[in-house]
Amino acid sequence: MKNRIFSGAPSEDFAGYAKAVIDGPTIYVSGTMGQDATGALPEGVTEQARNALASIDAALVKAGAGLKNAVACRVYITDPGYLKEVALVLGEVFRDIRPTNTLLVCQLPAPGAKIEIEVTASTRG
């Protein structure tokens, strides 16, 4: 499909979504949990956050952009106690980029998932 980026995750097919959608200069990246390269979720929220951001960056690169193009970041965590660890990771990645940010505490659909991150990016200057 034109203007769609797929990661190859089985859920993209059975749930009918794309990892990212390119709409002109705007790139919308689906919510991304923090699985590692084997598909497993690490125990810690810091590792899950880093994995999610790396996966998002990979999708953005396929779309001709990167995390440097982020204009909005939405973060979902399962425990308010994770806020400090997550904020440190986000600060490392977005310190010089400064997208908007929303953080919500909620349940996630995968056992062991502690965080899900969604990013919107723009290639417009």
Side-chain angles (χ1 to χ4, degrees):
M1 297 179 118
K2 190 174 182 181
N3 298 336
R4 303 289 191 269
I5 304 292
F6 296 96
S7 69
S11 57
E12 290 173 340
D13 282 336
F14 71 75
Y17 72 94
K19 176 70 174 182
V21 174
I22 305 163
D23 183 21
T26 306
I27 306 157
Y28 302 92
V29 182
S30 292
T32 303
M33 289 183 279
Q35 292 97 332
D36 62 20
T38 69
L41 284 163
E43 182 61 31
V45 70
T46 297
E47 295 84 9
Q48 288 189 25
R50 286 195 164 111
N51 289 347
L53 289 166
S55 178
I56 290 166
D57 189 49
L60 289 170
V61 167
K62 287 180 183 178
L67 284 172
K68 68 185 182 306
N69 299 99
V71 294
C73 179
R74 285 158 301 281
V75 181
Y76 308 90
I77 57 175
T78 58
D79 185 323
Y82 298 148
L83 180 58
K84 185 175 181 181
E85 288 177 81
V86 170
L88 289 171
V89 173
L90 295 173
E92 290 171 8
V93 173
F94 294 122
R95 185 172 310 333
D96 297 328
I97 301 165
R98 304 294 175 124
T100 63
N101 180 276
T102 300
L103 189 136
L104 297 169
V105 178
C106 62
Q107 293 180 337
L108 294 175
K114 296 177 178 175
I115 189 167
E116 185 168 340
I117 303 173
E118 178 183 352
V119 168
T120 301
S122 176
T123 56
R124 184 176 294 147

